[in-house]
Amino acid sequence: MGLMEGKRGLIFGVANDKRIAWGIARQLREQGATLGFTYLNGAVEKRVRPLAESLGSDLILSCDVASDEEIAAVFKEVEKQWGKIDFIVHSVAFADRDDLKRPFSQTSRTGFQLAMDISAYSLISITNAAMPVLKEGGSIVALTYLGAIRAIPNYNVMGVAKAALEASTRYLAAELGEKNIRVNAISAGPIKTLAASGIGQFKEKLKIMDERAPLRRTVTQDEVGKSAVYLLSDLASGVTGEIHYADAGYNITGA
């Protein structure tokens, strides 16, 4: 029996097989979880659907997290097909590429609002819509990064959005604790993904990680996935409101 045997959950943010969310999905499935997936649009669906089906999923739903109506529709369909669920993975973030390239002080107002909406507010909206279907004892995990607490070169507005995400994690944990629902976040180190390619000097960050982290390497998708399994499983039944560092010690090194 796997740690997640008999548990069902929904993953927001798998866009391709290079995403951290895909590493989480693989590890959850390996531990017995039944998974549902969302995708942003038709172009993304073409990549997500085969991946989801490879893990035995038949719950694959369209959802733009910038729309409260679409988020609500997702959970209505989840309730229709599954009734209740045990967990949610939030691996959604976005910032305008121009706002990541220019100096932080030149961040556009619309770019700031967009990054905050997609990367941080979506966790609040998803949690709110999930309440009717999320079981007592359920768990929510979001994905964050060290740029939330330190000024990382070229991370810019995304770092501010991740800081808001981490604060939201703590406030949601405090609110939902009385319902025995846990909310945590994983801060992964730099991992080579398509999303990361939009951050300037990303290769240099990977090199610094390899040089300074205690393990002298970056973490893998699957290692982050294993951390997610822990936080979503009953092994972490007393853990909530925490930022879990799955980063080979990157936060300790000051790199």
Side-chain angles (χ1 to χ4, degrees):
M1 293 260 316
L3 289 171
M4 304 299 291
E5 198 72 38
K7 294 184 182 294
R8 290 173 168 172
L10 194 59
I11 300 182
F12 290 82
V14 172
N16 54 65
D17 62 359
K18 299 296 190 294
R19 292 291 292 263
I20 293 174
W22 178 240
I24 292 173
R26 284 201 308 260
Q27 292 300 314
L28 287 167
R29 182 60 185 149
E30 187 172 308
Q31 292 297 324
T34 299
L35 303 174
F37 295 84
T38 69
Y39 59 86
L40 175 60
N41 53 38
V44 178
E45 180 186 7
K46 292 177 182 178
R47 298 192 298 269
V48 173
R49 188 169 292 277
L51 292 173
E53 290 174 347
S54 74
L55 297 184
S57 176
D58 58 4
L59 184 63
I60 308 163
L61 305 170
S62 173
C63 184
D64 179 352
V65 299
S67 167
D68 292 332
E69 291 76 19
E70 290 198 24
I71 292 172
V74 162
F75 285 103
K76 286 181 180 178
E77 186 63 25
V78 168
E79 185 173 27
K80 178 181 176 182
Q81 294 196 33
W82 282 356
K84 297 286 187 177
I85 60 174
D86 301 277
F87 63 87
I88 294 168
V89 175
H90 176 281
S91 181
V92 182
F94 183 80
D96 188 281
R97 188 176 291 266
D98 289 339
D99 284 314
L100 294 175
K101 288 181 178 180
R102 61 170 62 102
F104 176 66
S105 62
Q106 296 176 22
T107 302
S108 66
R109 185 179 298 274
T110 56
F112 186 91
Q113 292 169 340
L114 178 64
M116 293 292 285
D117 185 19
I118 304 299
S119 309
Y121 182 76
S122 61
L123 175 65
I124 301 169
S125 182
I126 286 170
T127 300
N128 183 47
M131 283 300 96
V133 301
L134 193 59
K135 290 181 182 177
E136 180 179 347
S139 181
I140 300 170
V141 163
L143 271 293
T144 183
Y145 178 62
L146 181 63
I149 60 172
R150 296 182 182 174
I152 302 295
N154 302 305
Y155 203 57
N156 296 353
V157 68
M158 185 56 74
V160 178
K162 290 297 188 183
L165 179 76
E166 292 188 8
S168 299
T169 295
R170 290 185 283 270
Y171 276 94
L172 289 170
E175 175 186 338
L176 302 183
E178 64 182 21
K179 302 179 187 296
N180 193 27
I181 293 173
R182 299 177 295 107
V183 188
N184 294 287
I186 296 173
S187 182
I191 296 176
K192 192 174 182 180
T193 65
L194 287 178
S197 67
I199 300 170
Q201 298 180 313
F202 185 74
K203 290 182 179 179
E204 287 81 353
K205 291 177 174 59
L206 291 174
K207 185 175 183 293
I208 290 172
M209 175 68 169
D210 289 338
E211 292 173 348
R212 301 188 188 180
L215 292 179
R216 300 299 189 271
R217 64 173 178 82
T218 59
V219 293
T220 67
Q221 288 174 291
D222 286 339
E223 286 173 328
V224 178
K226 291 173 183 177
S227 292
V229 168
Y230 161 69
L231 290 172
L232 293 169
S233 76
D234 294 338
L235 289 179
S237 59
V239 179
T240 194
E242 295 292 328
I243 310 302
H244 178 86
Y245 288 92
D247 59 4
Y250 186 66
N251 66 303
I252 298 172
T253 66

